[in-house]
Amino acid sequence: MNIVVLLKQTPDTESVIRIAGDGRSIETQDIKWIINPYDEFAVEAALRLKEQHGGTVTIVSWGPQRVVESIRTALAMGADKGMLIDDEALEESDSLGIAKVLAAAVQELNPDIVLCGHRAVDYDHNQRGPMVAELLGWPHLPLAVSLECDGTTVKIERPVEGGKMVVESSLPAVVTMGGSHAVWNPRYASLPGIMKARKKPLDVKKLADLGLNPEECGSGAAKIRLVSLEMPPERKPGRIINGDLDTEGKAKELVRALREEAKVI
Amino acid sequence: MAESVCIVAEYRDGAFRKVSYEIASEGRRIADTLGLKLYGIAIGSGVSDKVQELAKYGVEKVLVADDPAFEHYIAETYVPAVAEMLQQCDPAVVLLPASMNGKDLSARLAARLETGLAQDSTEISVEDGKIKAKRPLFGGKCLGWYEWADGALVMISCRPNVMSMLEPDESKQAEVVKVDVSVPEARSKVVSVDMDTSGKIELTEADIIVSGGRGMKGPENFAMLEELAGLLGAAVGASRAAVDAGWRPHSDQVGQTGKVVTPNLYIAVGISGAIQHLAGMGSSKYIVAVNKDPDAPIFSKADYGVVEDLFKFIPVFTEEVRRLKSSE
Ligand SMILES: Cc1cc2nc3c(=O)[nH]c(=O)nc-3n(C[C@H](O)[C@H](O)[C@H](O)COP(=O)(O)OP(=O)(O)OC[C@H]3O[C@@H](n4cnc5c(N)ncnc54)[C@H](O)[C@@H]3O)c2cc1C
Ligand SMILES: Cc1cc2nc3c(=O)[nH]c(=O)nc-3n(C[C@H](O)[C@H](O)[C@H](O)COP(=O)(O)OP(=O)(O)OC[C@H]3O[C@@H](n4cnc5c(N)ncnc54)[C@H](O)[C@@H]3O)c2cc1C
């Protein structure tokens, strides 16, 4: 099987986020970068498919040079090759612009299946996967918490508010990954894996290499723009229920506070 | 000049999801500010019977696609149908629910309509006729304001439980237009559905959530939280530690790699308050923390903190809540 994973590099979830001087981007100098957790699940699912069916796993990412490290991590986990799209013309693109780029990369690679996170934990747009599928005219199955594939169809289980369902599609198709670490349990890169990853092919491409021009996917094409960032309002300082009270006293006081002050129970 | 603000309601299992009324209410406010009509799109199997529910929240006209093919959400069938109906509404602004299906539909629809989408927004402002949408980024560590290019269709999906609902006006009636949309051949399909019928409340829609973490010590002890939740009409959530340990299903996980929730009251029991957990519940209206460690970071976010052994405190607290509820 020819499998493509769309992978985004995101700040470590532990990162402290500070707004940069321009008021609309974040300070990046102290940030540790990781693979978006849901994309790590996608790499894991892709590797399991490869173990079952053979084939190749290609990691595709748009981003600056620092993304090479994340692609190498995925290669060390067991993926076969990488493609980084690094082009300044994309710096102020919107989600659809980037989706066009990713769709063009997918077209060039002509895979049976594309796996990607249902969202990236930084800008949290929740859009790339379905957008890429729409641009390709492919079906997509969202929020996978399991994945079975026999080479011609793919079947996943997905949650929906209040329950779950099983959906399937013929290939080619896009699957976006849901679930959690407990569901996918992504593997770590092994030491031999890390050694091998250094020699695996990693193409760096410009827009023109994908037959695209900035007018269709660069800042000029953007329909939506992030204009400013702000910090969330500080929460009002809370209080610790009087430590001198016994357990029953604290329970009574909490019930009273929730009923009379907060009015939420 | 466009004609309307348009909402895409979410209909499942015989009813509109509550978030549909939230976006209708928000849509009403925006339409009034912009001097536009408020239209609704209702799609589903059997949805015709329920369309007047939307009128109560200010929707003036509802376009309805009622077809067995729309029994379940499948992007391949819903997206072209909703796009076709939107075209008949001439909207300047489209509001959708940021539910699981809503987010998925919104994204694919934005690509089809070639526009920008502000997904999972928590606030919408209108200044001089221009719309801005605010959404949490980086797990709520900061907030971003988004604007659209001139002439672009404004698409916004709204986080459930955030936009305030209008008082329903039972006297209102909406004009209903049945639309014969073509149902495209789909390569994807629903194989089976397994809805929880135990009356369990969905985390993202719950007014009150009681969550347990590693401090719960084992799966059996969650019965205690279930009991408390039952009295409060609350949903039960969990930290990643409790999910990773196999004590709770992954669908209960709250946090940056779990569900993002915005209840009126979030009670964190035996949860330390890691940054990834706070990302999921930090914008709850009121937060209560029960933890035996007075230095647990969760206390810095809590409106009310209780420093106690949870195994001692929760049963006593539950009895107090029971007393309160039975006195009503
Ligand atoms: C001033 C400014 C600076 C910005 N700087 C950056 C920046 O440095 N880096 C950055 O990424 N964004 C940056 N953005 C945001 C950028 O324009 C996009 O909005 C953002 O990347 C969308 O990603 P998401 O995480 O919201 O995607 P989602 O739609 O949430 O992602 C869903 C899935 O799509 C796939 N995917 C998403 N993005 C990529 C990608 N780049 N390559 C491959 N697969 C992908 C992944 O599988 C991911 O799990 C910046 C925006 C502004 C305004
Ligand atoms: C990429 C990534 C993504 C993540 N995503 C998430 C996520 O989505 N959601 C999430 O929750 N976490 C997430 N985490 C994990 C997070 O970092 C923490 O490890 C996790 O939240 C800890 O869970 P906890 O608070 O239950 O456990 P702990 O941190 O172990 O805290 C247990 C608490 O219980 C208290 N306690 C123990 N016994 C008692 C008692 N008898 N009475 C009262 N209090 C008691 C202790 O004092 C302690 O504060 C993520 C981590 C990473 C790296």
Side-chain angles (χ1 to χ4, degrees), chain A residues 84-88 90 204-212:
Chain A
L84 173 67
I85 305 142
D86 178 11
D87 198 315
E88 302 86 71
L90 293 172
V204 180
K205 301 229 178 206
K206 296 274 175 204
L207 280 186
D209 302 325
L210 294 168
L212 293 166

Side-chain angles (χ1 to χ4, degrees), chain B residues 134-152:
Chain B
K134 185 164 89 175
R135 42 190 306 277
L137 308 176
F138 300 93
K141 287 178 207 167
C142 72
L143 303 161
W145 280 103
Y146 287 78
E147 256 177 39
W148 281 258
D150 288 333

Side-chain angles (χ1 to χ4, degrees), chain A residues 5-10 22 24-26 28 33 36 38-39 42 60-64 66 90-95 98 102 115-129 225-226, chain B residues 135 146:
Chain A
V5 173
L6 303 180
L7 177 147
K8 190 182 179 194
Q9 188 184 53
T10 60
D22 66 359
R24 52 186 295 264
S25 62
I26 59 159
T28 50
W33 298 92
N36 174 36
Y38 292 103
D39 298 351
V60 174
S61 188
W62 161 67
R66 60 171 151 74
L90 293 172
E91 255 161 40
E92 298 267 322
S93 297
D94 65 1
S95 278
I98 301 302
L102 298 174
L115 305 179
C116 66
H118 82 280
R119 66 178 155 115
V121 298
D122 52 356
Y123 289 87
D124 246 331
H125 284 295
N126 270 261
Q127 344 193 321
R128 294 290 161 72
R225 225 167 69 90
L226 175 58
Chain B
R135 42 190 306 277
Y146 287 78

Side-chain angles (χ1 to χ4, degrees), chain B residues 203 209-213 222 225 235-239 248 252-254 266:
Chain B
L203 280 170
I209 294 173
V210 183
S211 263
F222 274 82
L225 301 190
V236 177
S239 72
R248 302 299 288 178
D252 286 1
Q253 183 171 320
V254 171
Y266 188 92

Side-chain angles (χ1 to χ4, degrees), chain A residues 13 15 122 124 126 134 138 140 158 161 164 166 168 170 223 225 227-228 230 235 241 259 261, chain B residues 100-101 104 108 119 135 138 141 143 145 147 149 187 189 191-192 194 276 282 284 304-305 328:
Chain A
T13 51
S15 309
D122 52 356
D124 246 331
N126 270 261
E134 175 67 24
W138 291 7
H140 81 269
R158 56 154 298 192
E161 287 86 356
K164 55 190 180 190
V166 175
E168 74 173 22
S170 60
K223 299 291 194 322
R225 225 167 69 90
V227 287
S228 63
E230 61 187 49
R235 290 189 76 88
I241 302 286
R259 164 57 61 114
E261 295 171 14
Chain B
M100 290 185 205
N101 287 342
D104 193 73
R108 195 158 176 154
Q119 187 88 282
R135 42 190 306 277
F138 300 93
K141 287 178 207 167
L143 303 161
W145 280 103
E147 256 177 39
R187 286 207 276 125
K189 63 169 194 283
V191 179
S192 64
D194 182 4
Q276 298 93 345
S284 304
Y304 301 105
E328 282 173 353

Side-chain angles (χ1 to χ4, degrees), chain B residues 73 78 224 244 248:
Chain B
Y73 169 77
Y78 267 57
M224 214 160 60
D244 280 359
R248 302 299 288 178

